[in-house]
Amino acid sequence: MNPVEAVTLTRYVKAICPQQKFDEFTSDAWGDVLADIDANEARQAVIRLARRQPFISPAEIIAEIVDVRAENASDFQGPGLPAEVPDADPDDPVAYIAALRAQRYRAADGLELKPRNMKALLAGPITKKIPKQPNPELEAVRRPGPLGIICPRCKAARGRPCKKPGSSERFPLGEPMREPHPIRVALATGQPLPAGHDADGEAAGKEASRIALEQLTALDEESA
């Protein structure tokens, strides 16, 4: 809002609220407070406020504009509303979030959101190949190392620490261990199984190997 628009707005408010006091400095003061506010938005806010109250302040105009913009931005998608699709690749999170923000700003400004034709979205050949190799970022989330497999000793799930036997009020499922069981480390790193890791030694080793093989096979199928 520039000084001329501030003068116009104060005169408009004075006409709507004749009992409100104004002087020759009012437009300057209001112009300073509303400098970053769109003049048309301020005028529309004055109209809405005047229907509810006899006096209007710059702070109330700003609050009214904020409320209206928030309402417009929150209701630009949904049943019966324009289903505009963000113009960005969903596989590019940064660009997609930027497109969503731009869409929300346009909705807050009251601009029309035009839905994109679904045929246009689906037209053309698919040129992006799905990689057969595992996604490095996905593999990092899967916690490589001992925590990347189920522990054959305590049955701790992938990504979860090994547990001590027994339970307590604080740890009903078993107290977490600082270090994983040796057999879990050996299977994850391909090292020889530790001697005497279980009373049933060889049987436990075979069972652990079977579990590890099933887990590796499942991971290969997921990344294929």
Side-chain angles (χ1 to χ4, degrees):
M1 180 180 299
N2 57 44
V4 175
E5 291 171 335
V7 171
T8 303
L9 180 66
T10 53
R11 289 179 177 175
Y12 186 69
V13 174
K14 185 176 181 179
I16 292 180
C17 308
Q19 296 180 341
Q20 188 165 332
K21 185 178 180 180
F22 291 86
D23 58 29
E24 64 272 22
F25 302 110
T26 300
S27 60
D28 295 332
W30 280 44
D32 292 339
V33 177
L34 302 174
D36 58 344
I37 300 297
D38 180 75
N40 184 60
E41 284 187 302
R43 182 184 178 91
Q44 296 301 320
V46 167
I47 294 174
R48 290 189 295 270
L49 289 169
R51 292 171 178 170
R52 306 195 303 259
Q53 57 194 61
F55 300 98
I56 299 173
S57 70
E60 291 171 329
I61 293 176
I62 295 175
E64 182 69 16
I65 292 175
V66 170
D67 290 343
V68 171
R69 290 181 64 85
E71 183 178 356
N72 291 342
S74 65
D75 294 337
F76 74 97
Q77 286 183 338
L81 299 174
E84 181 178 276
V85 180
D87 190 11
D89 185 357
D91 292 332
D92 186 349
V94 176
Y96 194 77
I97 292 175
L100 283 176
R101 288 176 176 171
Q103 188 183 64
R104 188 174 293 273
Y105 278 122
R106 287 189 288 113
D109 290 336
L111 301 178
E112 181 182 2
L113 299 179
K114 298 181 179 180
R116 294 167 62 189
N117 191 304
M118 186 58 65
K119 291 184 178 180
L121 293 175
L122 301 178
I126 299 177
T127 58
K128 186 173 182 179
K129 296 182 179 180
I130 300 177
K132 294 183 178 180
Q133 296 297 329
N135 188 327
E137 297 181 358
L138 182 60
E139 290 299 316
V141 176
R142 285 177 177 167
R143 299 294 298 274
L147 297 187
I149 64 172
I150 299 174
C151 179
R153 163 81 63 168
C154 63
K155 309 303 180 184
R158 294 190 188 97
R160 304 299 300 175
C162 290
K163 301 172 291 184
K164 295 180 179 179
S167 61
S168 63
E169 183 177 354
R170 182 179 180 184
F171 301 105
L173 299 179
E175 181 180 354
M177 298 173 58
R178 293 186 178 181
E179 299 293 338
H181 284 108
I183 189 174
R184 190 179 191 183
V185 176
L187 290 173
T189 58
Q191 299 176 1
L193 296 178
H197 64 274
D198 193 283
D200 295 328
E202 185 177 356
K206 292 181 179 179
E207 176 65 13
S209 299
R210 185 188 65 79
I211 294 176
L213 180 60
E214 290 179 354
Q215 294 172 10
L216 293 175
T217 302
L219 289 177
D220 290 339
E221 292 177 353
E222 292 175 3
S223 59

